[in-house]
Amino acid sequence: MEKIIEVKNAFYSYKSEDGTLDAVNGISLDIERGSFTVFLGHNGSGKSTLAKLLNGFLVPDSGDVFVDGVNTKVEERVFEIRSKVGLVFQNPDNQMVASIIEDDIAFGPENLGIPREEIVERVDWALNAVGMNAYRTHTPFKLSGGQKQRIAIAGILAMKPTVLILDESTSMLDPQGRKEVLETVRALNKEQGITVILITHYMDEALDADNVVVLHEGKILIQGTPREIFAKKELISKTKLELPVAAYISYRLLGEGYDVPLSLIDDELVESICRLR
Ligand code: ADP
Ligand code: MG
């Protein structure tokens, strides 16, 4: 597998009059091209700082970050790096710039100096990819939270990023909106081959990731497949993150002496309980 992003022993501190705050404390990490990675961690664990290091918005105080082989410290390449690694934020309302959806989507590629005809194609493709083409001439302001966030994703997609990072982009949404955004992101990964990094504190959003990276105090506490991660109950409890409900119940059953495997999803758990009869 090819590495699209490589982080090598990166450190980053915020400096202010009150002193320095170490936000990223020696992180090394590879992101494979085409993979789906989830960063999990409670508030203040360094997720957003790491995300900004990955797209060159911040550069490490020490250590290095390479995007497609290019060091983010190379100033002449920062523009290219930022268009390769698109970042979607938490609040969709802060990410809208135009009063008509298609103009909003066209804004990014216009700034990149893309020719008009190609912009039209990109807007079309991006709106289809998030399932919002029917709304192209509408105003974004009347949309639901989930729809607004899909528009924000389309705006980033129109710049043809290789990597899409969503920084808690579902946390302000209702369950329906969350579901819409997650399904959109999964399809972008599976069907368009876009490398996805989803940042969340919802454990259940990590269940079908290729790689889960759990951050704690600016360091990687554990990383692996969802199954490997959720098997490390003590480490998870250290991060104050909650286990998926199915995993929690399987641990309880195991504790009571029932012979069930550790399940991460409800259906799996129900099946293993049924087999006990
Ligand atoms: P997360 O996204 O996991 O909540 P952050 O990367 O935002 O974590 O923050 C990591 C640490 O850095 C926290 O202690 C936070 O308070 C601090 N921090 C984040 N942004 C700034 C900033 N702009 N100035 C000073 N400290 C910051
Ligand atoms: Mg954050």
Side-chain angles (χ1 to χ4, degrees):
M1 276 276 242
E2 188 198 346
K3 293 168 195 164
I4 183 71
I5 299 181
E6 285 173 90
V7 183
K8 295 192 185 291
N9 203 22
F11 286 78
Y12 187 85
S13 310
Y14 293 100
K15 287 112 198 147
S16 70
E17 290 140 21
D18 311 331
T20 62
L21 198 145
D22 303 331
V24 164
N25 289 312
I27 286 187
S28 295
L29 175 70
D30 290 338
I31 304 288
E32 308 284 355
R33 191 188 281 273
S35 64
F36 193 123
T37 303
V38 167
F39 291 174
L40 266 181
H42 63 81
N43 254 345
S45 55
K47 305 183 295 298
S48 295
T49 306
L50 179 60
K52 287 172 190 156
L53 288 171
L54 301 187
N55 86 333
F57 192 82
L58 298 174
V59 291
D61 298 329
S62 70
D64 293 290
V65 176
F66 297 91
V67 173
D68 213 358
V70 178
N71 196 318
T72 58
K73 285 177 182 161
V74 181
E75 275 174 38
E76 311 84 74
R77 306 289 291 273
V78 160
F79 188 71
E80 177 194 332
I81 287 167
R82 286 198 201 153
S83 54
K84 253 184 200 159
V85 184
L87 208 46
V88 179
F89 296 99
Q90 191 171 35
N91 186 345
D93 289 320
N94 300 343
Q95 300 175 71
M96 305 283 168
V97 290
S99 56
I100 299 293
I101 287 172
E102 58 184 6
D103 297 343
D104 195 85
I105 312 295
F107 186 79
E110 270 164 9
N111 275 348
L112 294 177
I114 307 291
R116 189 68 228 165
E117 269 164 42
E118 195 185 331
I119 292 181
V120 174
E121 273 171 35
R122 286 189 182 199
V123 169
D124 212 50
W125 169 76
L127 281 170
N128 278 326
V130 301
M132 289 293 288
N133 218 335
Y135 292 84
R136 60 187 305 150
T137 58
H138 293 221
T139 166
F141 307 109
K142 288 184 190 158
L143 300 177
S144 71
Q147 289 173 323
K148 281 184 189 167
Q149 204 55 295
R150 279 149 69 197
I151 294 298
I153 293 170
I156 301 291
L157 284 180
M159 291 183 273
K160 294 265 173 172
T162 313
V163 183
L164 185 66
I165 306 181
L166 298 109
D167 191 356
E168 309 240 16
S169 306
T170 61
S171 65
M172 295 178 76
L173 306 179
D174 60 15
Q176 174 59 27
R178 262 180 78 194
K179 190 164 163 267
E180 281 173 22
V181 168
L182 290 172
E183 281 171 2
T184 302
V185 168
R186 268 181 213 123
L188 289 172
N189 176 249
K190 298 285 171 293
E191 288 156 28
Q192 312 276 353
I194 293 177
T195 308
V196 171
I197 300 174
L198 183 81
I199 301 179
T200 183
H201 56 259
Y202 295 115
M203 289 258 167
D204 56 341
E205 293 185 358
L207 297 181
D208 48 19
D210 299 316
N211 190 26
V212 181
V213 178
V214 181
L215 294 175
H216 184 62
E217 296 175 351
K219 293 192 179 78
I220 295 177
L221 187 67
I222 8 170
Q223 71 169 308
T225 63
R227 201 161 286 280
E228 287 163 355
I229 297 298
F230 296 119
K232 299 204 163 69
K233 197 180 158 201
E234 288 72 28
L235 282 178
I236 293 290
S237 65
K238 187 177 162 189
T239 67
K240 301 187 207 100
L241 288 166
E242 278 176 27
L243 283 169
V245 174
Y248 177 74
I249 297 175
S250 3
Y251 277 123
R252 293 283 309 272
L253 289 168
L254 283 164
E256 295 291 335
Y258 288 95
D259 183 23
V260 291
L262 167 64
S263 305
L264 300 184
I265 45 181
D266 301 0
D267 290 352
E268 221 176 270
L269 178 64
V270 169
E271 224 173 81
S272 58
I273 292 173
C274 288
R275 256 185 270 122
L276 292 174
R277 283 194 300 204

